[in-house]
Structures are given as structure tokens and as C-alpha cells.
């Protein structure tokens, strides 16, 4: 199919300083969770974006020197000339597909730990460091430190040019930059020419941009990444800064500070959420402007460009969820875009020192080590048929990949609506975009002629034995426990039969809830607090109890924990931390302090418990017990995937389904060990 001519403007070239991008699709710098630890894996992930049609593909932060050591967070490095060869793999790969390559040079200043070098972190003034609970404090930079930083930044820019990059960044955003720290009066209390007025506080950044132009400006575009509210949270100062620096960079990459605000989850913002605050930049500068907004809709992208908000459509998370967005728009396949759901599971990888992951795109960071392509799958290895029991995220992804490979696939689910936990949870406050996980896969399956979908079709072991397929995949999910067993209570504290004890499954099934409600949450994720929001909005009094030291600790990794807590407080939810569940009766719930066993009793209408889940593996167990009957009915394998095997996050279920479907009839996959270490430099 040809592309809709309405989108032609998105495919127009644009000059950025001395270089030209082939289109308006721009993958802004974003982390990978691997960086120098796995340069081939990192490179292949970036190359996939270029293959998918992005005109510009950028790295994450590349540290400019050993005075900005971000370890243990994975980073790229341009400390010395020896780093050039390793980082050069990325622009070489990106150039193969006609895209420009960008690198984000960074000195993170107060955000550095310098834990390995054991040298003091640097800052405009002496201040407690930002990215740790450790009582580290920075050294106030003197004039020799400033001169050295300029020399190091210039040298890193030269190395970036030698490595083959087309666009080289100075980074002044997200609170993660020495330049932004010089700009902020909270961190910069200097009395010399680098402190005081805004003109003085921007002096270092101005000097560095001038240095970069002198060093590489003949052949590389000099980009500035700047958060418009970075300066003391003050947009007026941000505008003053842009007016003063408007023509110095070749490209303005603008966003919001800090990182959690720039990468807001779909629970708290919608597509294009940054426009109101960043739109002024394009009105001031004649240089190209790029920004982000979790853009997944081609119409929204087009609107941003045609209305003069942006020159280039920036993306990090959408380019992770679907590296082939530009090609799909170009080829008239917009219905096939795998839209980002804004869950920030991608960020959780980086923040847990792990390779990046994605709920929508299970192939990300497995492009190199497993050889997975996000669009292409190997053809089937036999004429076998597959029955997938369960249509949640694992089952749908498994069926989708199997069908694309050419297998005959049947999907059966006991529920009337296909989609499993995703469809049910997407009805909760703020999670509506999560339905994309099911809708994308169901749409893909419905386009194929080798798939049969059977909702409202509960199957027994006997039914499956009679079905006549060679491979059985059980993807029946998991059920929340009612007995209180979780992280803190390793034996039951509830009978599991109490009439006033509920689980998230009951809420999702629409059961009646009586107040006052106590939510006891050991899960630590999104579900407990989302249900709390739902119940308060329905007029119920809610107390939120957790044995952890903070509410929803997992959501610190998705960078929304602070907003979740603020919302609960705004809704009037009482929060009790460090309280362990002891028991409940018809009118009270008994809790105990995790440190002292001091008891707390709360009045109770309904107790909602989120402790742990039990895999729904009865079908799998029953089939394994009948394995002597398999041969007579033609069954070759019986497997379980997703939450049915090991309850986890939705991204893990999708990955499990994808992994099983890729491995079927693939001897190489069978021989591959379960543990696949990232290849090191």
C-alpha cells in the first residue's frame, strides 16, 4: 500500500547544521540498560530503529570523562581515544539504513557517584549528590575544574566525530547535567562570573557550545538538549534562556524536567502532553526543534509539524514499542503500529541495572543476543497445529507469532471477551491505553487465515486430549491468593473463605464492595493503588496498608511512585506503612508493625488483599498426569507460559509467549541455554 499523501510532510528532508535528515522521525537519546556492557546488543537495538525508517537515531548518555562516573548505571563512554572504536559500531550500523546518528555527551555532575574512582563528584557548589541515599557531597568546581571540563567536552566531541556521529549533543536536562546544575540557583551559589545572574549561570554552557562548534561544527550538527522548566522550575527563565541562546545550537531538543516528568506514564498524561510548555521554543529560534510526547498517532505527529510546534517528531518510548513506525506510515500500514502503552517498563530496566524491556515489543534488547527481529519471524518448521488455551498477553502473543510463522493455531478462552488480565485491568482508572496490548494482537490475528478464536470456551483435560493438535500451550494466567501468603507472611493468616475478604480478581469481576475498605498491598505495583482510586471515586472510605516502608515501591522504577502517593493523599486515602497483616474478622482487621509487633486494629467492611498469586496450572498438571495418552491422540508437547508458569508483570508474559512461539521446531533455540548473558565488549 502507498502512504496517505496527508503524511508526506513527515517524510520531507530537513537540514540540521551541516547535515540533513531524510525525514522528520527522530529517535531522541534514551537509555538501553546495557551501553558499553554489551555494545553489540546496544548497537543492534539502535540499528533496528534505522531499519524501521527513523531519520535520526541517537545513543544514550556517553560520559565525557572519569569525573562523571555514573556506575552502576550502564553508560557509554568517550573518556579516551580507546573508546572510539567501541562506540563507532552504532553510527556505522545506523548509516547502513540511511539514517543520521546522534550521540548525547554528558557530564552528570551532582548525579555522579564516582564510586569506583572514589574521587569527589563535581558541582557548581558543594551539595549533597542527587542519585543516591549515600551521604556523598560534591566538590565545588574551581576555575581549573571548569577549564578541564571544557577541554574534556571538546575532546569527547572530537572523538564523537571520529566515531562517525552526525549530531553531537550538549546535555542540559532532566536534572542530570552539570550544565543544568550551573543554571539552577538551588545548586549554583557561586559568586564569580559563573554564578548569580542567569547570564552568568549559562556562561559555561555557552562556552561549551562554542567549543563544540569550533571542534566539530564543520561536519557535525551541534545539538542542545534542554528542559524548558529546568531552571528552578521556572518557564520564564527557560524562555529567557532560549532567547539568549536561540541561534547557538544547530538543533534544539526540548522537553520537561526531570526524567519522570519528561516520561510521564499514560496513567497521568496523554499523547502530546508536553506541547503547552515547549511550544514557545519554535517561536523564538530559527533552528530546527524536536520534542517528544509519547507520539503514536500519525495524525498527532502531522499536527505537531504542520502547526509549527515541532520540526522533528521526537520519540523514545514509541520507538521502543515499535521501531518500524515510520515505515508503517510510509507503506500505508498505520493499523499495524504497535503503540506504546506508556507503562514505563522500559525505564524500569535501566533503573534496576538490567537490559531494557518493553510490554509491547518483546524483541527489544534481544535483537542481537537471540537474533529476534520485531517484524520478521522464521517460517514454520513443520505442519503441526497448536492449541493455545488462554487469551491473555502470553497466549495472544504466542498465537500471533505462531500464526505469522505459518502454523495452524486455535485460541480458546473460558471468558466471553478475549484479552485476559489486560482487558480486565484496562477498565481501571488511568489504564485505558493498556488495552493496546490485547487489541494489537487480536487485530493481527484477525488478519490471518490460519487462526481460529474461540471465546466462552472452557476446556477440560479430556476436551484437550480430544482436540487433535500436536502442541498444547497452557496460558491460563494466575489467581490472587486469599490466604495472605506473600513476602511478609510465609504461612496463611486468613482462612481464604472469609466473606468480607476480597482480591483484585473480585474487583475486576465487578463484585459488591462494602466500606470501610482496607487494602493490604504486598504486591507493591500499580494494581492496589489503582483499585484504591476506583473505590474512592465510588464513594467508599479507603485505608491503604503496606508492610513496605513506602507505597508501591516497584513504581519507583517506572518513575510514577511520587505521583501515585500524591494522588492517594489528594483522594483522602489513609496510608499505613510498615504494617503486616495478622488476621481479620467480620468487623476488624488486625495489623502489626513489621519492626516491633505493635498492633493496630482498623474497622472493616471489606478487606482487599494483594499478597501473591497462584498459577492457574490445573490443566497443565492434569495433562502431564495423562502423558501416557499423548501419543495415541497425536500430542507431541504440552507447555505452560506466562503467569500460568510464573506470575509476573505483563511484559514478562508477552516475552514468554513470544519466546515459546519462536522456539517451536527450532533446534537452535532448543540447544540455546536458558541463560543468555549479554556479550561484553
Amino acid at each position: 500500500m502507498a502512504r496517505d499523501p496527508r503524511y508526506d510532510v513527515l517524510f520531507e528532508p530537513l537540514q540540521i547544521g551541516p547535515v540533513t535528515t531524510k525525514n522528520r522521525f527522530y529517535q531522541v537519546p534514551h537509555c538501553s540498560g546495557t551501553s558499553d556492557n554489551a555494545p553489540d546488543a546496544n548497537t543492534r537495538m539502535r540499528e533496528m530503529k534505522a531499519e524501521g525508517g527513523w531519520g535520526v537515531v541517537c545513543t544514550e548518555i556517553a560520559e565525557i570523562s572519569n569525573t562523571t562516573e555514573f556506575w552502576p548505571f550502564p553508560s557509554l563512554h568517550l573518556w579516551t581515544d580507546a573508546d572510539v572504536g567501541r562506540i563507532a559500531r552504532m553510527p556505522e550500523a545506523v548509516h547502513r539504513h540511511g539514517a543520521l546518528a546522534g550521540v548525547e555527551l554528558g557530564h552528570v555532575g551532582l548525579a555522579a557517584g564516582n564510586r569506583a574512582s572514589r574521587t569527589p563528584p563535581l558541582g557548581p557548589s558543594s551539595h549533597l549528590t542527587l542519585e543516591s541515599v549515600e551521604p556523598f557531597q560534591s566538590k565545588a568546581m574551581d576555575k581549573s575544574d571548569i577549564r578541564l571540563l571544557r577541554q574534556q567536552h571538546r575532546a569527547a566531541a572530537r572523538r564523537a566525530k571520529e566515531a562517525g556521529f552526525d549530531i553531537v549533543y550538549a546535555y542540559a536536562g532532566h536534572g542530570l547535567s552539570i550544565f543544568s546544575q550551573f543554571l539552577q540557583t538551588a545548586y549554583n551559589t557561586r559568586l564569580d562570573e559563573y554564578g548569580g545572574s542567569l547570564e552568568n549561570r549559562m556562561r559555561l554552557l555557552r562556552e561549551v557550545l562554542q567549543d563544540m562548534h569550533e571542534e566539530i561544527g564543520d561536519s557535525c550538527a551541534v545539538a542542545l538538549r534542554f528542559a524548558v522548566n529546568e531552571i528552578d522550575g521556572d518557564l520564564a527563565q527557560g524562555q529567557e534562556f532560549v532567547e539568549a541562546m536561540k541561534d547557538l545550537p544547530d538543533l534544539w531538543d526540548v522537553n520537561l524536567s526531570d526524567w519522570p516528568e519528561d516520561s510521564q506514564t499514560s496513567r497521568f498524561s496523554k499523547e502530546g502532553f508536553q506541547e503547552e510548555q515547549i511550544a514557545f521554543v519554535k517561536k523564538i529560534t530559527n533552528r530546527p526543534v524536536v520534542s517528544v510526547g509519547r507520539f503514536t498517532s500519525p495524525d498527532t505527529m502531522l499536527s505537531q509539524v504542520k502547526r509549527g510546534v515541532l520540526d522533528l517528531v521526537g520519540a523514545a518510548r514509541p520507538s521502543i514499542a515499535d521501531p518500524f513506525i515510520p515505515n508503517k506510515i510510509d507503506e500505508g500500514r498505520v493499523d499495524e503500529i504497535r503503540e506504546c502503552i506508556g507503562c514505563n517498563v522500559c525505564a524500569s530496566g535501566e533503573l534496576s541495572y538490567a537490559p531494557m524491556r518493553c510490554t509491547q515489543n518483546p524483541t527489544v534488547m534481544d535483537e542481537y543476543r537471540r537474533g529476534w527481529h520485531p517484524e520478521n519471524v522464521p517460517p514454520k518448521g513443520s505442519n503441526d497445529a497448536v492449541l493455545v488455551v488462554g487469551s491473555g498477553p502470553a497466549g495472544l502473543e504466542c498465537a500471533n507469532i505462531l500464526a505469522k510463522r505459518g502454523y495452524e493455531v486455535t485460541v480458546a478462552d473460558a471468558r466471553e471477551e478475549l484479552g485476559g488480565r489486560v482487558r480486565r485491568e484496562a477498565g481501571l482508572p488511568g489504564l485505558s491505553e493498556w488495552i493496546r496490548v490485547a487489541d494489537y494482537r487480536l487485530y493481527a490475528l484477525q488478519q490471518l487465515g490460519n487462526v481460529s478464536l474461540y471465546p466462552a470456551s472452557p476446556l477440560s483435560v479430556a476436551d484437550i486430549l480430544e482436540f487433535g493438535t500436536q502442541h498444547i500451550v497452557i496460558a491460563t494466567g494466575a489467581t490472587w491468593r486469599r490466604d495472605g501468603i506473600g513476602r511478609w507472611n510465609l504461612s496463611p493468616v486468613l482462612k481464604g473463605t472469609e466473606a468480607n475478604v476480597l482480591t483484585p480478581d473480585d474487583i475486576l469481576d465487578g463484585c459488591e464492595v462494602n466500606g470501610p475498605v482496607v487494602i493490604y498491598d504486598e504486591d507493591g505495583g500499580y494494581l492496589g493503588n489503582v483499585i484504591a482510586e476506583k473505590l474512592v471515586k465510588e464513594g467508599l472510605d479507603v485505608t491503604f496498608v503496606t508492610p513496605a516502608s513506602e507505597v508501591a515501591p516497584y513504581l519507583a522504577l517506572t518513575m510514577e511512585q511520587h505521583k501515585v502517593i500524591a494522588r492517594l493523599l489528594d483522594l483522602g486515602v489513609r496510608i499505613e506503612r510498615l504494617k503486616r497483616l495478622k488476621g481479620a474478622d467480620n468487623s476488624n482487621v488486625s495489623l502489626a508493625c513489621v519492626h516491633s509487633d505493635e498492633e493496630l486494629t482498623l474497622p472493616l467492611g471489606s478487606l482487599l488483599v494483594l499478597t501473591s498469586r497462584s498459577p492457574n496450572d490445573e490443566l497443565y498438571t492434569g495433562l502431564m498426569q495423562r502423558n501416557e495418552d499423548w501419543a495415541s491422540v497425536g500430542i507431541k508437547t504440552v507447555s505452560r507460559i506466562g503467569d500460568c508458569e510464573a506470575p509476573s508483570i505483563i511484559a514478562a508474559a508477552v516475552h514468554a509467549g513470544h519466546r515459546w512461539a519462536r522456539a517451536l521446531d527450532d533446534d537452535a533455540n532448543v540447544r540455546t541455554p536458558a541463560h543468555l548473558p549479554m556479550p561484553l565488549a
Side-chain angles (χ1 to χ4, degrees):
M1 295 174 61
R3 77 166 175 252
D4 188 325
R6 291 186 301 132
Y7 303 131
D8 286 351
V9 67
L10 297 176
F11 293 88
E12 293 176 353
L14 181 70
Q15 187 169 349
I16 307 172
V19 300
T20 300
T21 174
K22 64 180 180 181
N23 61 35
R24 305 303 180 97
F25 297 95
Y26 193 110
Q27 182 247 283
V28 298
H30 71 73
C31 299
S32 69
T34 58
S35 303
D36 277 354
N37 294 335
D40 289 317
N42 200 23
T43 293
R44 184 67 177 132
M45 179 270 293
R46 302 289 181 193
E47 182 181 10
M48 202 62 72
K49 315 282 190 79
E51 182 184 334
W54 296 86
V56 179
V57 179
C58 298
T59 69
E60 60 266 66
I61 287 179
E63 298 174 7
I64 66 168
S65 76
N66 60 0
T67 62
T68 179
E69 174 203 307
F70 216 14
W71 190 87
F73 289 101
S75 293
L76 296 172
H77 297 84
L78 279 170
W79 291 7
T80 70
D81 292 346
D83 295 318
V84 172
R86 182 164 54 244
I87 203 171
R89 304 178 196 190
M90 183 276 203
E92 179 184 356
V94 165
H95 289 158
R96 284 197 287 267
H97 304 278
L100 299 179
V103 59
E104 183 177 68
L105 304 184
H107 191 299
V108 298
L110 294 167
N114 293 359
R115 293 173 179 86
S117 66
R118 300 186 69 176
T119 58
L122 298 177
S125 307
S126 188
H127 194 281
L128 286 166
T129 54
L130 303 178
E131 290 295 304
S132 172
V133 296
E134 297 155 306
F136 297 169
Q137 198 155 322
S138 65
K139 172 191 176 184
M141 294 172 66
D142 58 27
K143 296 293 181 61
S144 65
D145 294 318
I146 290 174
R147 285 194 298 272
L148 179 59
L149 184 141
R150 289 181 59 186
Q151 293 166 5
Q152 291 170 335
H153 211 287
R154 181 188 283 261
R158 184 190 70 249
R159 294 179 189 118
K161 176 181 175 179
E162 292 172 0
F165 287 100
D166 309 288
I167 300 172
V168 183
Y169 272 81
Y171 181 39
H174 301 133
L176 294 174
S177 163
I178 191 69
F179 303 130
S180 64
Q181 292 152 20
F182 264 82
L183 288 170
Q184 297 181 65
T185 57
Y187 303 125
N188 185 348
T189 58
R190 302 175 71 94
L191 301 176
D192 61 6
E193 67 268 33
Y194 291 96
S197 67
L198 179 57
E199 180 181 357
N200 282 353
R201 286 181 277 129
M202 71 173 72
R203 186 182 306 277
L204 175 60
L205 180 52
R206 183 190 293 276
E207 290 172 342
V208 166
L209 288 169
Q210 291 168 341
D211 292 341
M212 292 174 69
H213 275 294
E214 290 177 11
E215 189 71 36
I216 64 169
D218 60 329
S219 58
C220 297
V222 174
L224 173 60
R225 197 175 200 192
F226 173 66
V228 294
N229 61 337
E230 186 80 0
I231 308 175
D232 304 333
D234 183 3
L235 279 173
Q237 287 191 78
Q239 184 164 336
E240 184 181 347
F241 174 88
V242 175
E243 289 171 343
M245 305 277 275
K246 60 182 180 180
D247 293 327
L248 189 49
D250 295 316
L251 170 74
W252 283 89
D253 180 340
V254 291
N255 49 44
L256 301 180
S257 190
D258 49 11
W259 186 14
E261 292 305 303
D262 186 26
S263 297
Q264 295 179 35
T265 60
S266 57
R267 184 174 170 186
F268 294 98
S269 67
K270 299 304 176 186
E271 184 178 21
F273 65 93
Q274 300 205 23
E275 177 180 339
E276 182 178 350
Q277 290 165 286
I278 61 91
F280 74 87
V281 178
K282 182 61 188 164
K283 295 181 174 67
I284 294 172
T285 181
N286 293 318
R287 304 295 193 228
V289 175
V290 61
S291 188
V292 295
R294 208 171 66 252
F295 300 122
T296 60
S297 163
D299 291 326
T300 302
M301 300 175 193
L302 180 64
S303 173
Q304 293 278 311
V305 174
K306 292 191 73 172
R307 290 186 294 112
V309 179
L310 305 172
D311 298 291
L312 296 149
V313 179
R317 292 173 292 173
S319 76
I320 297 165
D322 194 340
F324 280 70
I325 287 176
N327 282 0
K328 289 178 179 178
I329 298 173
D330 191 28
E331 296 165 5
R333 298 188 293 124
V334 296
D335 289 340
E336 297 178 30
I337 291 174
R338 191 168 48 245
E339 292 183 283
C340 172
I341 69 169
C343 65
N344 278 7
V345 161
C346 51
S348 76
E350 169 77 8
L351 294 174
S352 57
Y353 318 111
M356 182 172 61
R357 63 202 80 166
C358 177
T359 300
Q360 280 284 62
N361 177 13
T363 69
V364 71
M365 300 316 298
D366 273 330
E367 301 94 344
Y368 177 78
R369 65 175 182 166
R370 295 183 192 264
W372 288 358
H373 191 285
E375 297 297 313
N376 303 330
V377 295
K380 65 180 182 178
S382 71
N383 290 320
D384 290 349
V386 185
L387 169 64
V388 179
V389 184
S391 69
L396 288 180
E397 177 66 12
C398 185
N400 187 34
I401 300 305
L402 289 169
K404 285 182 176 179
R405 292 187 63 190
Y407 292 97
E408 289 292 327
V409 181
T410 300
V411 179
D413 197 291
R415 291 184 177 272
E416 293 185 2
E417 287 192 299
L418 303 179
R421 63 178 288 194
V422 171
R423 184 163 300 281
R424 301 169 78 212
E425 292 179 12
L428 294 170
L431 302 187
S432 60
E433 291 187 32
W434 292 29
I435 195 60
R436 294 171 174 177
V437 176
D439 285 351
Y440 165 78
R441 287 158 179 84
L442 284 169
Y443 174 81
L445 289 169
Q446 289 160 0
Q447 308 313 303
L448 300 168
N450 55 334
V451 182
S452 299
L453 302 174
Y454 292 99
S457 300
L459 297 178
S460 66
V461 170
D463 294 331
I464 294 171
L465 289 172
E466 293 175 4
F467 205 82
T469 53
Q470 287 73 45
H471 303 281
I472 312 298
V473 182
I474 307 299
T476 45
T479 300
W480 286 93
R481 298 185 70 109
R482 296 180 178 275
D483 56 9
I485 291 179
R487 284 192 176 95
W488 270 262
N489 290 314
L490 303 181
S491 57
V493 292
L494 298 169
K495 297 176 183 177
T497 57
E498 294 90 343
N500 63 338
V501 173
L502 308 174
T503 72
D505 295 315
D506 298 316
I507 302 297
L508 295 172
D509 286 338
C511 77
E512 181 180 353
V513 183
N514 298 312
V517 180
V518 174
I519 297 177
Y520 178 74
D521 184 15
E522 289 191 17
D523 176 57
Y526 60 88
L527 197 53
N529 48 80
V530 169
I531 292 175
E533 183 175 342
K534 166 185 166 65
L535 296 179
V536 170
K537 289 178 177 178
E538 291 174 356
L540 293 165
D541 178 78
V542 175
T543 297
F544 190 94
V545 180
T546 175
S549 59
E550 51 190 350
V551 172
Y554 176 73
L555 299 190
L557 300 180
T558 59
M559 304 191 301
E560 58 188 328
Q561 181 192 40
H562 61 298
K563 291 192 172 188
V564 165
I565 295 172
R567 176 161 291 181
L568 291 179
L569 293 173
D570 286 344
L571 291 170
V573 174
R574 175 182 173 181
I575 296 174
E576 291 287 345
R577 300 174 174 86
L578 299 171
K579 302 296 191 298
R580 176 178 57 83
L581 178 65
K582 288 192 68 177
D585 57 30
N586 290 334
S587 56
N588 294 288
V589 59
S590 176
L591 308 162
C593 175
V594 299
H595 296 305
S596 69
D597 278 342
E598 178 183 352
E599 292 198 11
L600 173 67
T601 300
L602 296 175
L604 186 64
S606 300
L607 171 63
L608 176 66
V609 290
L610 298 89
T611 52
S612 60
R613 289 179 285 163
S614 297
N616 297 330
D617 58 2
E618 296 84 2
L619 279 178
Y620 174 80
T621 302
L623 287 165
M624 296 304 289
Q625 291 171 347
R626 297 280 301 274
N627 66 328
E628 71 278 1
D629 299 327
W630 294 2
S632 63
V633 296
I635 293 176
K636 294 180 180 179
T637 67
V638 173
S639 306
R640 54 182 169 170
I641 59 173
D643 288 346
C644 176
E645 180 179 37
S648 186
I649 59 175
I650 295 170
V654 173
H655 190 274
H658 192 98
R659 188 171 67 246
W660 194 95
R662 289 261 187 179
L664 181 59
D665 295 325
D666 185 346
D667 291 339
N669 266 294
V670 172
R671 291 194 299 268
T672 300
H675 174 63
L676 291 171
M678 284 287 179
L680 299 178

